[in-house]
Amino acid sequence: MQMKAIIKGTYFLFLMMTIPVLLMAQGVKSGKVVDQQGNAIAGVTVKVKGTTRSAKTDDAGVFTLRLQQGDIIVTSSVGFKATERVYASTDRLLIELEENQSRIDDVVVVGYGSQTRKELTGAVSTLKMEEITENQVAESFESMMQGRVAGVNIQLNSGEPGATPNVIIRGLAAVSRDDGSAISEPLYVVDGVPIISRTSDEFAVTSTNVLADLNPSDIEEVTVLKDAYAAAIYGSRAANGVILITTKKGKRGKPQININSRTGINFVPRLLDVAGGQKEREQVAHLYALYAPYGVAMPSMYTDVTNPFYNNSSDWQDYLYNTAVTQDYNASVRGAGDFGQYSVSLGYLDNEGILFNTGFKRYSTMTNTTFNALNNALVINNTLALSRTDQTRNPGNLSTNFSSLMPLPTNPMVAGTEVYGLGKNANVNDRIRFSSDVSWKILNDLMYKVSLSLEYTRAMRDAFSQSRRTLWGTNESGVGENRNLLFQNTLNYTPRFGDGHSLSILVGQSAEKMESKVTNVSSVASAPLLSNNVKWPGENDIGTSNYGANTLLSYFSRVDYSFNQKYLLGASIRTDGSSKFGQANRWGLFPSVSAGWNFNKESLFADWEWLNNGKIRGSYGLSGTTWDENYLALGVMNGGSLDQYQSLLQITYGGIAGFTPTWYDGFKNEDLTWVKSQMGNIGMDLSLFNNKVEVVVDVYEKLTKGLLLTTALPTTSGYNEVYRNAADVLNRGVEFTLNTNMRSMRDFSWNMGLNFAYNKNRVVALPDGNADIIKISTSGQDFGSIVRSGAPLNGFFFYESQGIYQSENEIPVDAKTGRRLIGLQNKKLAVGDRNFKDQNNDFSIDVDDRVLAGDPNPKWTGGWTNDFYYKGFSFNVVSTFVIGRDIVNTELLDRLRFGKDFAGTTSLPDFDRYSIWEKSGDQARYPTLNPWSDASQIVDYDSEYVEDGSYFKIKSATLAYTLPKPLLKRIPFDRVRLYCTVDNLVTFQRYSGPDAELVTLDGFDNSGGYPMRRMVLFGLSLGL
């Protein structure tokens, strides 16, 4: 017993002596993590390799961790290279992290979650918007994306402030009979919530770009989901790609206060050439001398020297286009702590148009808050965004195309409108977007998330115009409202097991209801109007109203598997049920699969030091889309319409008002189903030479099946046509992206990004036995476009020009009958007329002689960016290009075509700039301008007006200077940046018109005389 007591005492004494030693050997140590400039980094993960011991740095970059001699400290943070170091008790724990130029370890937002770029198997592109928005000003973020993402073609058709750009991902896949610019629009998702798109009916009220109410300065990142695997998780709305928008949130560290103030001067670029004053009189006199019949004299405005406007030369373009000012102000406060994070921002944009009485304003505010509870196991996110956009347009009768001999206005209050009349066109959009979600970490690897979002939009238009000559006046007012309610549940399980196995399983459900209401009223008066508003009711007042709603119920799941981040597999499935369909086709199924191989992790490539990462990936899947009309499959009813005199044609039965199915699209067809896109994609990602070079290549094929089209019905049915899923379109292409990061010395670096994409578009199937569709508007106007099986979408359907007849002998004669070729409108052809090819040899030029004369779909699109840095200076250049498309110079066509009363009405181009036929022997491009001929030779669908629409544009160039940190110690700012940006710098093109970029999606220069302004922007960015 005594011996046992001695042993116990000795053991106790040993423990008492050993514990302090152990505590000293494995003590709690403090350290600090900084970047290469010595700035503290918050939120860095610091852990001991092979253990569960870990910590995060606080706002000062400090961490506290239990360490012992020989521990391996692993430090990691997004945007920095991970480090490992062996701990020695004598170490001073100051860890410096190097910025990670490679994006391979970045976390990328994908549908209903996120993945590291290394584990991505889909075709996904991301843009950090802060790098863009700090240098540029734009109404919407889409135009800022132009030329920056391979395979995303962003096309502008007008320089008007607030105009909507066309965004096409991997080729156009939209067919219509009566709309030359049918667009296959992607789905836009903001912070996980699909938002109301521009195709919604209520936005037809203002026609303002819907996405312009989202302040680009509030956007953190834009992610483009291009292939089926990346996008199929959004099912029935993802056939045309998905654009995910992530707004800015607060970050750990001291509160960040940012202020960005900039002012831009907008200059008028190249305009149309006009013949003014004396030149116009000379040209008119020459035309009368050449072509006017005997006894027809010029109007007195050209000959009466006593006319006070005889020597006038009103350059309407110069008068109505003016230098304008753009102002853009943004301020934000953001921060985070243990409680969560907060972000509050305000924005104001005032972009004056370079054309009189046009402009765009935006007022916006956004708040993002996050609250943590239950030791961060419960996270609550709330977002509230409010915005108003105010777009001013010219009244419909304002034009710069009047004769230069018309008088200028003298009253400055109505500058630019005296000749045309008074008017206004105000368009206001309001949007409220609120979303809230709660994430509950049930287990370490199991997360449940529930979210609710509500979006409300209101569009208002008030238009008023009055002619000073006829005294007729019109008023129009319209209001469109839309409500979108979305409820979502997701469960995400992300276990890791065995040696390198990881799994991510997502299951979810969503329910959505969308409602819209549109009301329009108008009035017409034959006397001067005393009010700019419609007074309802009245004798000449007419009003219409429409309400629509639809619901969408969805279930979805995705599984991703990774083994050592080397072998990757993925699969997703979504089923959507929509109220737009009949019972038989209410549900659609959208599956996808993918695989990836990070081959650089194989031992075969272990000695390839220049290869940092290499991945081959492939995917195949199905995604869908639908149409805008809520009740198309169920039959559309009509309660009356307005005739050409704005009179109501009411449907009555025995004197009682009623409804009837519409003649064109009212025929019920419950067999209508989803438009579906089948897409296969093979891609390769490379990161080389210590991550200084990044290469991404994708090859894809997208077949869009079941596009909606009308097909003819027998007249005995009582209907004209019925909608069917009847057209298929194929897009094939290749995408290439090259990013480099070169540092030649300590203070100089050069980052370069080059991307280009090739896409070939082809119609595969059409209804009615693949019959051609010559696109015609509802008013009967031929667009000059054709949809033909085996050909690209919306090809130009024109007469083939063979020059101009120089002599009578050149006009063909039928050797059998002696009949001469008859021109358009049964014209007897003469010298100086256009020589169109008689394709079917029937000696008559008519619609049967039209052929495919051009392709408006670009074959190559892309962009080239360069960023140079030297000490505090930076120089950024952004360029975009389009190669291999055709466009029609309709602007010139319309200006060369005039009737017998042309004098004194419209501006004339300077004929000296164009090769116009006047006499035999002239090697001219354009035929005679004789307005007194029995048929004008300046005709639509002339292939001579088809031109090369390729261009290379230096979109912007920015020179900036950031004040050095030692200087900032004297002022109360953490960051001061001064910069100057020149926007729309220069365009290189073969097109003879003003700007090859500003054409419609179907290739016509219908820019409406609104060019793209050139802007010089001065900015100041402050950080507190």
Side-chain angles (χ1 to χ4, degrees):
M1 293 290 294
Q2 196 172 19
M3 181 60 70
K4 288 184 179 180
I6 293 172
I7 293 173
K8 287 183 178 179
T10 305
Y11 180 67
F12 177 75
L13 182 61
F14 174 77
L15 287 178
M16 294 298 292
M17 294 175 64
T18 304
I19 288 174
V21 175
L22 292 174
L23 290 176
M24 290 178 64
Q26 183 174 324
V28 177
K29 302 294 182 181
S30 294
K32 186 174 183 180
V33 181
V34 297
D35 61 18
Q36 290 177 297
Q37 287 73 42
N39 300 314
I41 309 176
V44 178
T45 299
V46 184
K47 65 180 181 179
V48 178
K49 191 172 184 178
T51 73
T52 58
R53 286 175 280 158
S54 66
K56 279 188 178 291
T57 59
D58 60 15
D59 297 347
V62 175
F63 68 92
T64 302
L65 189 62
R66 186 164 50 88
L67 297 171
Q68 64 184 20
Q69 188 86 9
D71 279 347
I72 299 176
I73 305 173
V74 180
T75 313
S76 61
S77 180
V78 174
F80 295 90
K81 291 183 178 179
T83 65
E84 291 188 5
R85 62 183 288 182
V86 179
Y87 171 69
S89 59
T90 57
D91 280 357
R92 176 173 175 260
L93 283 179
L94 179 64
I95 302 174
E96 181 180 291
L97 295 186
E98 180 183 350
E99 187 174 347
N100 189 3
Q101 299 295 339
S102 171
R103 301 185 302 160
I104 196 66
D105 294 314
D106 284 358
V107 175
V108 178
V109 176
V110 294
Y112 301 99
S114 61
Q115 288 181 296
T116 63
R117 188 175 296 276
K118 189 179 294 184
E119 295 179 329
L120 279 176
T121 53
V124 177
S125 297
T126 59
L127 279 179
K128 301 293 186 182
M129 288 299 293
E130 189 168 8
E131 303 169 1
I132 304 172
T133 56
E134 194 168 52
N135 296 332
Q136 293 179 257
V137 169
E139 290 91 12
S140 63
F141 74 92
E142 316 110 279
S143 56
M144 290 182 170
M145 291 173 58
Q146 192 174 26
R148 294 180 182 269
V149 181
V152 181
N153 180 26
I154 299 175
Q155 185 170 314
L156 306 174
N157 56 33
S158 174
E160 181 183 18
T164 302
N166 296 319
V167 180
I168 305 296
I169 299 177
R170 293 190 164 183
L172 184 65
V175 178
S176 70
R177 294 181 182 274
D178 56 3
D179 182 2
S181 296
I183 180 173
S184 47
E185 186 189 32
L187 172 69
Y188 296 93
V189 180
V190 179
D191 292 332
V193 179
I195 64 171
I196 298 170
S197 72
R198 74 170 200 157
T199 56
S200 301
D201 291 340
E202 76 283 357
F203 281 102
V205 172
T206 62
S207 300
T208 303
N209 182 9
V210 179
L211 297 175
D213 61 12
L214 181 60
N215 187 349
S217 295
D218 287 332
I219 300 176
E220 178 79 24
E221 185 177 74
V222 174
T223 302
V224 183
L225 311 182
K226 295 186 285 188
D227 73 332
Y229 178 68
I233 194 69
Y234 288 102
S236 63
R237 292 179 288 186
N240 302 316
V242 181
I243 295 181
L244 307 179
I245 302 157
T246 304
T247 59
K248 293 180 180 178
K249 309 293 191 298
K251 298 178 181 179
R252 280 187 172 270
K254 70 174 186 178
Q256 296 176 338
I257 302 175
N258 293 296
I259 301 172
N260 204 345
S261 173
R262 42 213 177 171
T263 300
I265 304 173
N266 303 316
F267 297 96
V268 181
R270 174 188 173 189
L271 298 173
L272 300 173
D273 63 281
V274 294
Q278 179 67 26
K279 182 68 173 178
E280 181 177 345
R281 286 196 296 273
E282 291 175 358
Q283 289 189 170
V284 171
H286 187 62
L287 288 173
Y288 271 82
L290 281 176
Y291 305 120
Y294 179 76
V296 176
M298 285 194 298
S300 60
M301 67 179 294
Y302 291 105
T303 59
D304 184 6
V305 295
T306 64
N307 186 332
F309 303 116
Y310 177 79
N311 289 315
N312 192 43
S313 181
S314 301
D315 187 348
W316 288 103
Q317 289 188 124
D318 186 60
Y319 190 82
L320 294 179
Y321 290 105
N322 291 287
T323 301
V325 175
T326 293
Q327 300 177 75
D328 185 53
Y329 306 102
N330 294 281
S332 63
V333 180
R334 298 185 174 96
D338 293 336
F339 65 91
Q341 65 83 21
Y342 60 90
S343 172
V344 180
S345 66
L346 296 171
Y348 171 70
L349 170 68
D350 184 1
N351 187 8
E352 295 180 359
I354 56 175
L355 181 59
F356 170 79
N357 202 30
T358 63
F360 178 88
K361 294 181 180 180
R362 177 179 58 232
Y363 313 85
S364 64
T365 181
M366 176 179 287
T367 61
N368 279 310
T369 57
T370 299
F371 300 101
N372 302 326
L374 303 178
N375 292 324
N376 295 327
L378 193 68
V379 179
I380 304 171
N381 294 297
N382 296 300
T383 298
L384 176 63
L386 308 174
S387 65
R388 162 167 284 198
T389 61
D390 187 350
Q391 183 184 29
T392 303
R393 297 193 185 100
N394 283 310
N397 54 0
L398 178 61
S399 171
T400 62
N401 292 332
F402 273 81
S403 166
S404 67
L405 298 179
M406 297 292 277
L408 285 170
T410 56
N411 185 348
M413 297 300 294
V414 290
T417 62
E418 181 78 18
V419 175
Y420 315 105
L422 299 171
K424 74 168 187 178
N425 189 336
N427 303 271
V428 176
N429 290 348
D430 291 330
R431 186 193 292 259
I432 301 173
R433 181 169 56 87
F434 172 77
S435 63
S436 181
D437 64 74
V438 178
S439 298
W440 178 27
K441 193 174 185 179
I442 303 173
L443 300 172
N444 282 337
D445 300 324
L446 185 63
M447 179 75 72
Y448 169 69
K449 182 177 180 180
V450 59
S451 64
L452 179 68
S453 66
L454 174 65
E455 184 180 9
Y456 171 78
T457 61
R458 180 177 61 179
M460 299 166 287
R461 176 176 180 264
D462 289 295
F464 154 71
S465 63
Q466 179 176 312
S467 170
R468 290 182 176 273
R469 294 179 176 177
T470 65
L471 298 182
W472 277 83
T474 60
N475 281 325
E476 297 178 29
S477 290
V479 176
E481 292 181 284
N482 190 296
R483 287 177 295 275
N484 188 0
L485 182 64
L486 174 65
F487 178 70
Q488 298 183 119
N489 289 276
T490 60
L491 191 65
N492 201 357
Y493 182 50
T494 56
R496 294 180 179 273
F497 52 92
D499 185 13
H501 299 277
S502 64
L503 195 63
S504 176
I505 303 174
L506 169 76
V507 293
Q509 166 271 333
S510 71
E512 187 171 7
K513 181 176 183 179
M514 291 154 281
E515 297 178 283
S516 64
K517 182 178 182 180
V518 181
T519 301
N520 287 290
V521 294
S522 62
S523 65
V524 180
S526 59
L529 298 173
L530 299 178
S531 171
N532 292 354
N533 300 314
V534 178
K535 300 299 183 183
W536 186 266
E539 292 182 2
N540 299 312
D541 298 338
I542 296 173
T544 60
S545 180
N546 186 44
Y547 170 83
N550 69 83
T551 56
L552 185 70
L553 181 62
S554 308
Y555 302 94
F556 50 88
S557 179
R558 181 176 62 218
V559 178
D560 290 295
Y561 167 77
S562 169
F563 175 65
N564 282 336
Q565 290 190 325
K566 183 191 299 186
Y567 307 115
L568 313 169
L569 294 173
S572 73
I573 189 168
R574 177 168 176 138
T575 179
D576 286 332
S578 173
S579 64
K580 292 184 177 183
F581 298 96
Q583 291 289 340
N585 294 307
R586 182 145 293 173
W587 289 89
L589 191 66
F590 306 97
S592 70
V593 293
S594 70
W597 174 38
N598 280 307
F599 59 84
N600 65 294
K601 290 182 175 290
E602 300 290 349
S603 58
L604 176 65
F605 303 99
D607 296 331
W608 293 20
E609 296 182 359
W610 53 270
L611 177 64
N612 302 109
N613 186 74
K615 179 170 60 178
I616 296 175
R617 49 187 167 75
S619 67
Y620 180 82
L622 196 66
S623 53
T625 188
T626 183
W627 52 85
D628 296 327
E629 174 56 58
N630 294 315
Y631 311 109
L632 193 61
L634 309 177
V636 181
M637 305 297 287
N638 179 23
S641 60
L642 304 178
D643 65 12
Q644 59 181 325
Y645 304 105
Q646 297 293 296
S647 297
L648 179 64
L649 300 178
Q650 192 171 16
I651 296 171
T652 60
Y653 296 89
I656 300 174
F659 290 85
T660 184
T662 60
W663 176 263
Y664 285 96
D665 53 14
F667 194 84
K668 180 179 179 180
N669 183 8
E670 292 196 8
D671 292 330
L672 290 179
T673 187
W674 311 88
V675 178
K676 294 185 178 181
S677 285
Q678 303 172 3
M679 184 184 295
N681 188 98
I682 297 176
M684 182 172 65
D685 306 331
L686 296 174
S687 185
L688 313 171
F689 309 114
N690 197 24
N691 298 316
K692 292 185 179 297
V693 177
E694 180 188 51
V695 178
V696 181
V697 181
D698 280 283
V699 180
Y700 65 87
E701 178 178 278
K702 180 175 71 172
L703 176 61
T704 304
K705 303 183 70 174
L707 288 161
L708 207 63
L709 265 180
T710 55
T711 57
L713 287 172
T715 55
T716 54
S717 68
Y719 295 88
N720 190 41
E721 55 196 17
V722 64
Y723 277 97
R724 291 194 177 101
N725 298 101
D728 301 341
V729 174
L730 178 67
N731 282 279
R732 288 174 174 163
V734 179
E735 298 168 356
F736 177 85
T737 300
L738 171 66
N739 295 315
T740 65
N741 169 40
M742 303 298 176
R743 184 184 295 271
S744 61
M745 60 184 75
R746 181 174 178 84
D747 295 323
F748 176 79
S749 63
W750 169 33
N751 298 336
M752 187 271 288
L754 173 67
N755 75 84
F756 56 82
Y758 171 83
N759 184 82
K760 187 173 183 180
N761 173 286
R762 180 164 60 90
V763 178
V764 176
L766 291 172
D768 303 323
N770 284 326
D772 291 347
I773 298 174
I774 301 175
K775 306 184 78 166
I776 298 176
S777 69
T778 53
S779 62
Q781 173 65 41
D782 188 335
F783 281 115
S785 296
I786 189 172
V787 180
R788 173 175 289 175
S789 180
L793 271 171
N794 305 325
F796 303 134
F797 194 49
F798 283 17
Y799 300 102
E800 182 181 351
S801 170
Q802 301 181 112
I804 297 169
Y805 292 116
Q806 297 289 345
S807 65
E808 292 285 340
N809 294 332
E810 294 181 4
I811 301 174
V813 177
D814 188 344
K816 297 180 179 178
T817 64
R819 177 191 174 196
R820 287 198 354 157
L821 178 68
I822 302 299
L824 292 172
Q825 304 175 47
N826 293 319
K827 182 185 186 302
K828 181 181 179 181
L829 294 172
V831 176
D833 289 346
R834 175 67 75 199
N835 179 358
F836 290 122
K837 184 175 181 179
D838 181 14
Q839 303 288 345
N840 57 2
N841 296 315
D842 65 351
F843 289 87
S844 177
I845 303 299
D846 53 29
V847 69
D848 293 332
D849 295 305
R850 286 163 67 177
V851 295
L852 277 172
D855 180 7
N857 302 284
K859 291 181 175 61
W860 297 91
T861 60
W864 186 28
T865 61
N866 289 274
D867 299 286
F868 303 92
Y869 302 94
Y870 179 71
K871 293 187 176 180
F873 290 93
S874 65
F875 183 59
N876 166 269
V877 180
V878 179
S879 304
T880 63
F881 57 84
V882 168
I883 302 173
R885 71 163 177 183
D886 300 310
I887 57 179
V888 180
N889 195 342
T890 46
E891 192 73 47
L892 175 62
L893 175 66
D894 291 339
R895 297 174 71 225
L896 289 178
R897 176 172 48 203
F898 35 75
K900 300 174 185 178
D901 58 348
F902 68 91
T905 56
T906 61
S907 65
L908 298 182
D910 184 352
F911 294 160
D912 292 342
R913 292 172 175 258
Y914 305 97
S915 176
I916 299 172
W917 189 93
E918 291 185 353
K919 61 183 184 303
S920 295
D922 287 348
Q923 299 301 315
R925 180 177 181 182
Y926 303 103
T928 174
L929 300 181
N930 182 5
W932 288 278
S933 173
D934 54 350
S936 173
Q937 290 300 296
I938 309 299
V939 297
D940 291 328
Y941 327 130
D942 183 344
S943 67
E944 199 65 48
Y945 297 93
V946 177
E947 301 185 30
D948 185 353
S950 304
Y951 69 84
F952 180 89
K953 176 170 288 192
I954 301 179
K955 198 72 177 176
S956 69
T958 302
L959 179 64
Y961 178 67
T962 301
L963 269 62
K965 290 189 178 294
L967 186 60
L968 294 178
K969 294 179 180 179
R970 303 178 184 179
I971 55 178
F973 299 107
D974 293 333
R975 180 174 180 270
V976 176
R977 183 173 184 269
L978 303 166
Y979 56 95
C980 176
T981 299
V982 181
D983 200 27
N984 194 33
L985 188 60
V986 63
T987 302
F988 302 94
Q989 63 183 41
R990 293 182 179 178
Y991 179 53
S992 63
D995 195 332
E997 180 182 6
L998 301 183
V999 298
T1000 62
L1001 199 62
D1002 53 325
F1004 293 89
D1005 185 354
N1006 293 338
S1007 57
Y1010 211 121
M1012 183 69 67
R1013 88 286 186 264
R1014 180 173 292 113
M1015 179 172 64
V1016 178
L1017 180 74
F1018 300 94
L1020 172 63
S1021 180
L1022 302 175
L1024 301 175

